[in-house]
Every structure is written in structure tokens, then in C-alpha cells.
Amino acid sequence: MKQVKAEIVAVGTELLLGQIANTNAQWLSQQLAQYGINVYNHAVVGDNLDRVEEAFLQAQGRSDIIIVTGGLGPTDDDLTREAFQRISKLEMVEHQATIDKIEMYFKNHTSNMTPNNRKQARIFKGCTVLKNNAGMAPGMKVELEGKSWFFLPGVPREMKRITTDEIIPFLRNLTGDAQMIKSLVLKFIGIGESTLEHELKDLIIAQSNPTIAPLAQDDGVVIRLTAKGSSEKQLDELLGKTKEQILARVGDHFFGENDQTIEQVIVELLQSKNKKLAAAESLTGGMFTEKIISVSGASSVCPGGLVCYDTKVKQNILGVAEQTIQEEGTVSEACAAEMADQIRKKFDSQIGISFTGVAGPNEIEGQPVGKVYIAISDANGYKKVDSFLFTGARFSIRKRASIKGLEILFNYLKS
Amino acid sequence: MKQVKAEIVAVGTELLLGQIANTNAQWLSQQLAQYGINVYNHAVVGDNLDRVEEAFLQAQGRSDIIIVTGGLGPTDDDLTREAFQRISKLEMVEHQATIDKIEMYFKNHTSNMTPNNRKQARIFKGCTVLKNNAGMAPGMKVELEGKSWFFLPGVPREMKRITTDEIIPFLRNLTGDAQMIKSLVLKFIGIGESTLEHELKDLIIAQSNPTIAPLAQDDGVVIRLTAKGSSEKQLDELLGKTKEQILARVGDHFFGENDQTIEQVIVELLQSKNKKLAAAESLTGGMFTEKIISVSGASSVCPGGLVCYDTKVKQNILGVAEQTIQEEGTVSEACAAEMADQIRKKFDSQIGISFTGVAGPNEIEGQPVGKVYIAISDANGYKKVDSFLFTGARFSIRKRASIKGLEILFNYLKS
């Protein structure tokens, strides 16, 4: 495999004004690193034709793969096409499939399509169109004098989608068979990055092939194993052996691989056990149920849930006893336990889970901000209430509580 | 004042591997913008002497103020000094005050100072030392052939501290009173970027002070106005006048300014009208209620909500009539309307909103993926059901439905 140099060029004045950070470049760099492609430069330039052209000329001179984000939208300050035309002399044509898609969108939204929307359908003649399954403007791949250019929208959701669907297969191809690279991401919940690293310290120090990289994420910790080899079989053996060593030490916290999410794993466990789950959420306000229902196929295991933010809803709709609330308070072990029982019964489910606590900014019933009770209850009489004191701001407390709920539920289901 | 061009060069392989985002450049850009200094480029380069030199040469050629972050630490891959020496031919000397500070630190921590720590005290002969009140290595300011170079550590805390203490006074001096800058962000919902731009085209073309920049965001569109002037009063007048012109055309879609979110505005409107809101969510699965409850203070206006994903929950808990479901289906105008009525009554609220539809991947009751009904109902007999056909994947459909619900609710509340 030829050692290629990659560069990421971001176009957009909002980056130069500091309104957003260049997280697109970060994400793309992670993807490229995973396929063994070296990124040597990031460049950011504003919505100015001369300066975008200058950045493109430089990239063409020094890099083999150039990924451009931004400047493909419908408005007049979207200048990526024009700037690349200057250096490539390529003609622009309208992409009929995109025009059809835009027209359909406006038809479905019963609003008028303004003329500037057609601009999003303009592509370089002879380019490879990169399908955008998350938005209007397609991406493009253009070969220019031996250099590969990829043009992507700046909206992160669309950029990521096109990259995953269209660019990664290209990169996988590029790195070829001579030097194959394969990654395996092991996912953990309920263990911190530093503890994980401590447990695996000697393995990490001795690593060479595969490399072992722990990485903290929003909802847990992952370890990315990256192996190099000459065949799929060799790669799988290398990865499998290291995975085994790692799981022998921290397997208790392992829940899945690669793109699997903890909510997917939970939905699959519920399906295989043929059990239904419902949640009664106070401080989490729907965040937990929303995670479960985000999984395609969740309808078979989650009939719904209740957001019982107000005490009256806990009492009148959920059916928590007035006495419990008056004697123990809503932020209490007893209330959490009753909430879990009640939601399970009301929603005709085998498993009930509940969240009650103090998201802040103020104390409730003398309980401090961050105090959270999570209860789980099942139809066979199992009942358990855990309490936590989370730190951080309102959003962070609510999020941690939701993720802790997923962890508790996962541990219950796998046991 | 001379119109200066600024550039931010970040040195560090961790940025090119995507391990961190370049938030230093974002923060510095915000500071520079505030003092009316135009940032024309961000560059990121790894810990490689040749490539750092290349980036520095380019910056010296095209920019007047160059801020370099990173590469000043004690380890061998910290190469900023060496690279700048190559282009400036400046001698390096030891900064005694820094040596003293480092020695004191190690003495206080009763640990041994390894030799590489002395590296942090090496400065360019004749530079202005920028005091680091948050760490060891000082910053430096160097004048090279009419260009001003600032060297800062990559650790955000230290970078920010030196900038605030030492660079901002310099910038303030540079721009003087003659040039101040102020931004105002106007936020819109229910209008696309292209339509917004179409409506404002002549204003955008004629723009000079303030500049007018539309930008699509995940949950709507914003317009950023940036004014330059010589006094706070002049800036406010310039911004106010342009805001007025814009709102005269697209004010129907305007909901807030700067950091305000649509959910905050909705909670404030509910509070000022002293009304409570509850949502019955099928396909959105709690996403809408979660947005409302994310706002601090939402407890006074949102008692909770119901996720009624399953038909039985719609019927038994929410109380939608069996006849409606059998005759019209759950994905229907009639069902949406009843859901909104019922949730309002059950949750003792003045306003009910409901979401029912097909998130995919499969059709429901012969309705296509993306079909969504959103109903709103109030205690005074107001009732309205809107239907939509959203495109995209499961998550995207559910998210668009939630945001559309916020838009519908906002329009209802402000009228």
C-alpha cells in the first residue's frame, strides 16, 4: 500500500469566528486513523472565494486525499463548488436525482422551493456522487491529477452519514490487502477509563499488534484494538486473542462490540427473554425511555413509559401511595420502589424501572442536588433500589442517571 | 487602524489523530473577533519539524498576527521552538525567572526535577515574555519582519490565562477605541436556510456593517449579525436597525436571540401565561417531553407526560376510545386529536400535545414510514391536528417530529 497523506479542509466563517469548534475535522481524523491513513494537516478557511481557492491549491500540492467539509449549501456564501472549479476547471451540471429529492421534500412539506435550492444539486461533471441519506446536498468525489477530493456538507449529521456510507468503503479499498488493518471496538459500562487502564496496564504497555487504545466516551468506555496483518484470518486471530485477554480481566463490564449500543443490547436481551419493560421517570423526564425506543424493534419489548415529574402525577396516575410520599418524600428509596412496582403493573410489563432524584438547580425535600434513586422491580418479586450522588450541572445529572439506569438494567438482564 | 489578518496555528499530533478537537482555536477566534480582528486561517500540524516549519513559513507570508498553540512542553516531541528558530534564526536563551519557578515547584512537591524540564524555560532572545499564571512554560511574543508572533502552551487553561492576561491588552491597544465589534444572533424556527436567504437576499447582498450571515443548525436556522463601530451605543444602533429590517420580513419565524433555545422560550411563555403542558408521545418516545424538562424551572409548567408507544397504553392508560383506534387506526388525525385531549385532561393541564406516526423501519396500518400526526388541544376548546411526511432514517424522523412539535407549540403560545 502506498503511504498516503490526507488533509481536511473546513470551509466556513463560523469556524473562524469561533462560533463552533471544528469537530468535523476531529471526527474525520478518527475515522482516517482507524484505516491507517495519516492526516498531516487540518486547514480552516472562511467563506471567501480567493482564500478557499488558496487553501485548495495548497492541499492539491501537498496531500493525496483531501476531504473538504462545508460550503455546499444553497446560499450565496457557500463557495466550495466555485473555488474548486477555479482550480480544476471542471464544468458543473445539475444532478437530476437530487433535484427530484429536493422537489419531493418541498412537496411533502407543502412549502415553496426557492430557486437557490437548486444550487445544492449542482455537481462536478464526471464526479462520483456520494449519496446523502441524511439530507439534501449529495457529497462528491473527484479525482484531480492523481489526488482524491471528497466534498461533504458541513452539517455534522450529514457529513458523518456520507462518510460512513460512501468514504469508508473507499478507504478500506485503498489500504488494500498487502497491509490490512482491522479494528475491533470493545465496549464497557460501569467502569471508568482510569480503572480500566489500571487493570490492563501491562497489556497496554506491551502492545504492538494489535494496538490497545482505551477511550472515554459519553456513555461508557471503549477499547479500540487495531491489528495489522496480511489476511482476514490473521487479523481475526490477533484481535480475538487480545480480546480474550482483556475480557478475562474486565469482562464483567463488557456489553458489546463496535457499533452496538447498550440500549440495543438491552432490547435484544428483553426480546430473547420475551419480557416487557416500562419506566417511570421523574428527574430524567423521558430520557431513559427515549433511549430504549430509539432502538428499531423496541415496540415488542417497551409498551411505553410515564414521565411523572410532578408529585400529583406520581400519585394520581402512577398510583404511588399518598402515605409513602408524605412520610418518605418523593426523593426516597420507598418512593422509587413503589414507582418501579406501579409502572410495571400499570403498563402490563414484567420489568419496571424508576428514576427519582434532584436534577437541580435547587434542593428538593432537603435532598441535595445530584441525589438520585433508581429502582428495578420484576414480576417474580425481585426488587432493588440503588442510590447515587451525581455531580455536575442539571443536564449532566439527568444524563448520568439515565446511563446508570441502563447499566443497572443490563446487569439485571444478563444475570 | 490597519486591517490586520490573524491566523491560529495549532501544533500537535493529537489533533490530527482526532483525540481532541481544536477548541483552542475556537476560543482564541472568539477573543479576536471581539476586538475586531479578522481571523483568516486556522492551521493544524503534527509534531514534525519540517511540517511545523512549513506551516510557520506560510503564516509569516500571509498573516499579520500569528498565534501558535502547543509544542512548548518539556518532551522531545515539543518542536515549536525549534521550528520557529529555523525560520527566524533567533537564538535561544534560558529565562532565569522560569527556571526559578520550575525549581521552586519541584522543591514544593519534594520531587526531582528531570533535566527536560529546563526546556520549558528556553525563550527566544529579545522576545517579550508572556507571564503564565496557570503553569510552567511562559508564552512569548516575537516581532519578525513586521509580523507579530505569539507562542502559547497547548493546555487550554494555560493558553486562556496567558491570552487574557497578556495578549488581550495588546489587542485592545492595537484596535484602540476606534474599532469595536459586537455580534447578535437571531434564531428562527420553521423556515429553511434557503427560504430565509431568499427573503433577505437584497439585505444580504447590500450588507457591510453589520454583516448578515445565515447558518443552518440542527433545530432551526440562525442569522448572525456582526457590527463594527466606535462605541457600544453605535453598535447597538447598527444591530437594532438591521434586526428590525430582518424581522419585518421573517419575524413570524423568529423565536429568540443568542443562547436562547426554543424550549426555553416555550417554558417562559408557559410560565408567563400560567399554563401547564403535557405530551402524549408515541413515535417520539419521550424525546419531546425530555426537551421541555431539560429547561431549568420546567417543573412549574410540565407535570410530566406519557409515552404511549403501544396501542394498549393509548387505550387503557391514556383513554383513547377503542372505536377510534379500530375505525381510524393509531396513526390518524382522529387518534392524534384524542391523544392530545386525553393527556391534557389526565395530567390536569391546560394544553395537551400529541405525537403519533411511523418512525420506521416498517409501515404501520398501511401508513408509510415518516407519516406523522401532531395534535394540540387546549382547555378552551382549541384543537388542531397537522400531518407531515418526514424523510430520513428512524432517528431523524423522530427528531424532526419533536422539533416540529416545538414549532407548533411555540406558534400556538405566541398567538
Side-chain angles (χ1 to χ4, degrees), chain A residues 16 18-19 26 29-30 42 44 54 58 62 75-76 116-117 290 293 296 303-305 307 309-310 361 394 398, chain B residues 18 26 29-30 42 44 54 58 62 194 197 201 224 285 290 293 296 303-305 307 309-310 361 394 398:
Chain A
L16 297 180
Q19 292 178 335
Q26 181 187 16
S29 295
Q30 287 171 352
H42 293 175
V44 179
E54 181 197 292
Q58 180 173 46
R62 69 184 175 189
T75 69
D76 282 342
N116 54 4
N117 275 289
E290 148 59 21
I293 288 183
S296 178
V307 179
Y309 201 40
D310 196 273
R394 181 177 174 86
R398 298 174 60 242
Chain B
Q26 180 187 16
S29 295
Q30 288 168 351
H42 293 174
V44 179
E54 182 197 291
Q58 180 173 45
R62 68 185 176 188
S194 56
E197 193 188 278
K201 193 155 183 125
R224 187 185 58 243
E290 148 58 22
I293 287 184
S296 178
V307 180
Y309 201 40
D310 197 274
R394 181 177 175 85
R398 296 175 60 244

Side-chain angles (χ1 to χ4, degrees), chain B residues 12 27 35 86 151 229 293 306 312 349 368 381:
Chain B
W27 187 85
Y35 293 94
R86 282 199 185 175
F151 296 92
I293 287 184
L306 183 73
K312 276 190 200 148
S349 299

Side-chain angles (χ1 to χ4, degrees), chain B residues 255-396:
Chain B
F255 73 82
E257 290 182 1
N258 299 325
D259 289 337
Q260 278 189 300
T261 63
I262 184 74
E263 33 301 9
Q264 276 171 356
V265 173
I266 284 172
V267 167
E268 282 162 22
L269 281 167
L270 287 166
Q271 284 170 334
S272 74
K273 289 171 184 258
N274 200 19
K275 298 219 161 144
K276 291 194 181 188
L277 163 83
E281 304 187 57
S282 183
L283 86 157
T284 48
M287 203 188 260
F288 177 87
T289 302
E290 148 58 22
K291 277 182 199 291
I292 298 294
I293 287 184
S294 71
V295 180
S296 178
S299 58
S300 63
V301 296
C302 180
L306 183 73
V307 180
C308 46
Y309 201 40
D310 197 274
T311 305
K312 276 190 200 148
V313 176
K314 290 187 184 75
Q315 231 173 281
N316 302 342
I317 296 181
L318 188 56
V320 175
E322 196 179 341
Q323 198 188 350
T324 308
I325 290 172
Q326 284 184 349
E327 287 175 8
E328 309 277 341
T330 59
V331 182
S332 68
E333 193 174 317
C335 183
E338 262 189 68
M339 284 167 66
D341 279 345
Q342 286 299 112
I343 195 74
R344 174 171 60 76
K345 291 176 195 160
K346 291 255 170 191
F347 279 66
D348 227 349
S349 299
Q350 289 76 44
I351 304 163
I353 187 167
S354 71
F355 301 79
T356 181
V358 189
N362 303 116
E363 286 189 359
I364 297 179
E365 303 166 357
Q367 298 272 23
V369 172
K371 184 78 187 176
V372 174
Y373 291 89
I374 303 175
I376 192 162
S377 141
D378 77 15
N380 299 324
Y382 174 92
K383 196 183 302 187
K384 187 158 182 280
V385 186
D386 289 298
S387 80
F388 306 91
L389 188 61
F390 296 113
T391 53
R394 181 177 175 85
F395 177 75
S396 165

Side-chain angles (χ1 to χ4, degrees), chain A residues 111-325:
Chain A
S111 61
N112 290 326
M113 174 174 159
T114 53
N116 54 4
N117 275 289
R118 294 188 85 88
K119 186 173 169 188
Q120 296 188 80
R122 294 183 69 217
I123 59 170
F124 297 110
K125 199 172 172 177
C127 79
T128 307
V129 172
L130 309 176
K131 214 172 156 195
N132 182 352
N133 286 317
M136 286 300 150
M140 291 176 270
K141 174 172 178 287
V142 177
E143 293 292 329
L144 181 64
E145 293 161 16
K147 309 300 180 77
S148 301
W149 286 77
F150 293 90
F151 296 92
L152 301 175
V155 178
R157 198 170 39 91
E158 301 185 23
M159 182 279 299
K160 287 181 185 175
R161 188 66 193 266
I162 299 176
T163 302
T164 305
D165 292 349
E166 300 270 27
I167 301 185
I168 286 179
F170 167 84
L171 298 178
R172 211 189 293 268
N173 231 357
L174 191 76
T175 50
D177 280 346
Q179 173 73 304
M180 290 174 70
I181 280 183
K182 190 169 181 179
S183 281
L184 173 66
V185 175
L186 306 176
K187 304 183 97 169
F188 300 85
I189 193 162
I191 184 170
E193 188 187 7
S194 56
T195 310
L196 192 80
E197 212 178 300
H198 182 78
E199 295 290 334
L200 303 176
K201 196 160 181 112
D202 55 315
L203 293 179
I204 293 172
I205 287 171
Q207 67 176 308
S208 62
N209 189 18
T211 57
I212 303 172
L215 189 67
Q217 292 196 330
D218 247 15
D219 55 352
V221 183
V222 306
I223 295 178
R224 191 180 53 239
L225 307 179
T226 307
K228 296 186 179 192
S230 54
S231 71
E232 193 75 23
K233 184 163 169 284
Q234 190 198 359
L235 293 171
D236 287 339
E237 278 172 11
L238 285 164
L239 293 171
K241 197 178 144 223
T242 305
K243 176 183 165 183
E244 216 172 273
Q245 290 177 307
I246 291 172
L247 295 195
R249 301 189 190 182
V250 289
D252 278 356
H253 299 278
F254 174 73
F255 73 82
E257 290 182 1
N258 299 324
D259 289 337
Q260 276 189 301
T261 63
I262 184 75
E263 35 295 14
Q264 276 172 355
V265 173
I266 285 172
V267 167
E268 282 162 21
L269 281 166
L270 288 166
Q271 283 170 336
S272 74
K273 290 170 184 257
N274 200 20
K275 298 220 161 143
K276 291 193 181 186
L277 163 82
E281 303 187 58
S282 183
L283 87 157
T284 48
M287 204 188 259
F288 177 87
T289 303
E290 148 59 21
K291 278 182 198 290
I292 299 294
I293 288 183
S294 71
V295 180
S296 178
S299 58
S300 63
V301 296
C302 180
L306 182 73
V307 179
C308 47
Y309 201 40
D310 196 273
T311 304
K312 276 189 201 149
V313 177
K314 291 187 183 76
Q315 232 175 280
N316 301 342
I317 297 181
L318 189 55
V320 175
E322 197 180 340
Q323 199 188 354
T324 308
I325 290 173

Side-chain angles (χ1 to χ4, degrees), chain B residues 52-347:
Chain B
V52 178
E53 182 190 1
E54 182 197 291
F56 284 180
L57 271 176
Q58 180 173 45
Q60 172 74 17
R62 68 185 176 188
S63 305
D64 304 304
I65 294 179
I66 302 107
I67 302 184
V68 180
T69 59
L72 295 182
T75 69
D76 282 344
D77 64 359
D78 288 307
L79 297 167
T80 292
R81 289 183 187 80
E82 289 72 8
F84 191 68
Q85 254 195 306
R86 282 199 185 175
I87 79 158
S88 67
K89 314 294 176 210
L90 284 172
E91 245 182 87
M92 307 275 333
V93 293
E94 265 193 359
H95 186 236
Q96 193 53 48
T98 300
I99 291 283
D100 294 347
K101 187 174 169 182
I102 297 175
E103 284 177 349
M104 182 65 75
Y105 173 87
F106 280 97
K107 211 180 128 196
N108 287 340
H109 286 71
T110 59
S111 62
N112 291 326
M113 176 174 158
T114 53
N116 56 4
N117 277 288
R118 293 188 85 88
K119 188 175 168 186
Q120 297 187 80
R122 294 182 70 218
I123 58 169
F124 297 111
K125 197 172 175 177
C127 79
T128 305
V129 173
L130 308 176
K131 216 173 154 190
N132 182 351
N133 287 316
M136 285 301 150
M140 291 175 271
K141 174 172 177 286
V142 178
E143 293 293 328
L144 182 65
E145 292 162 17
K147 309 299 179 80
S148 301
W149 286 77
F150 294 90
F151 296 92
L152 300 174
V155 179
R157 198 169 40 91
E158 301 185 26
M159 181 278 299
K160 287 180 186 175
R161 189 65 192 266
I162 299 176
T163 302
T164 305
D165 293 348
E166 301 269 26
I167 302 184
I168 285 179
F170 167 84
L171 298 178
R172 209 190 292 268
N173 231 358
L174 193 73
T175 54
D177 280 343
Q179 181 75 307
M180 287 171 74
I181 210 162
K182 191 169 181 178
S183 281
L184 173 66
V185 175
L186 306 177
K187 304 184 95 168
F188 299 85
I189 192 162
I191 184 170
E193 188 189 5
S194 56
T195 310
L196 191 79
E197 193 188 278
H198 182 76
E199 295 291 334
L200 304 176
K201 193 155 183 125
D202 55 319
L203 293 179
I204 293 172
I205 288 172
Q207 67 177 306
S208 61
N209 188 19
T211 56
I212 303 173
L215 186 70
Q217 293 196 329
D218 245 16
D219 56 352
V221 184
V222 306
I223 295 179
R224 187 185 58 243
L225 307 180
T226 308
K228 295 185 180 192
S230 55
S231 71
E232 193 75 23
K233 184 163 169 281
Q234 191 199 357
L235 293 171
D236 287 340
E237 277 171 14
L238 285 164
L239 293 170
K241 200 179 142 220
T242 304
K243 176 182 165 183
E244 216 172 89
Q245 289 178 307
I246 291 172
L247 296 195
R249 301 189 188 183
V250 291
D252 279 357
H253 300 278
F254 174 72
F255 73 82
E257 290 182 1
N258 299 325
D259 289 337
Q260 278 189 300
T261 63
I262 184 74
E263 33 301 9
Q264 276 171 356
V265 173
I266 284 172
V267 167
E268 282 162 22
L269 281 167
L270 287 166
Q271 284 170 334
S272 74
K273 289 171 184 258
N274 200 19
K275 298 219 161 144
K276 291 194 181 188
L277 163 83
E281 304 187 57
S282 183
L283 86 157
T284 48
M287 203 188 260
F288 177 87
T289 302
E290 148 58 22
K291 277 182 199 291
I292 298 294
I293 287 184
S294 71
V295 180
S296 178
S299 58
S300 63
V301 296
C302 180
L306 183 73
V307 180
C308 46
Y309 201 40
D310 197 274
T311 305
K312 276 190 200 148
V313 176
K314 290 187 184 75
Q315 231 173 281
N316 302 342
I317 296 181
L318 188 56
V320 175
E322 196 179 341
Q323 198 188 350
T324 308
I325 290 172
Q326 284 184 349
E327 287 175 8
E328 309 277 341
T330 59
V331 182
S332 68
E333 193 174 317
C335 183
E338 262 189 68
M339 284 167 66
D341 279 345
Q342 286 299 112
I343 195 74
R344 174 171 60 76
K345 291 176 195 160
K346 291 255 170 191
F347 279 66

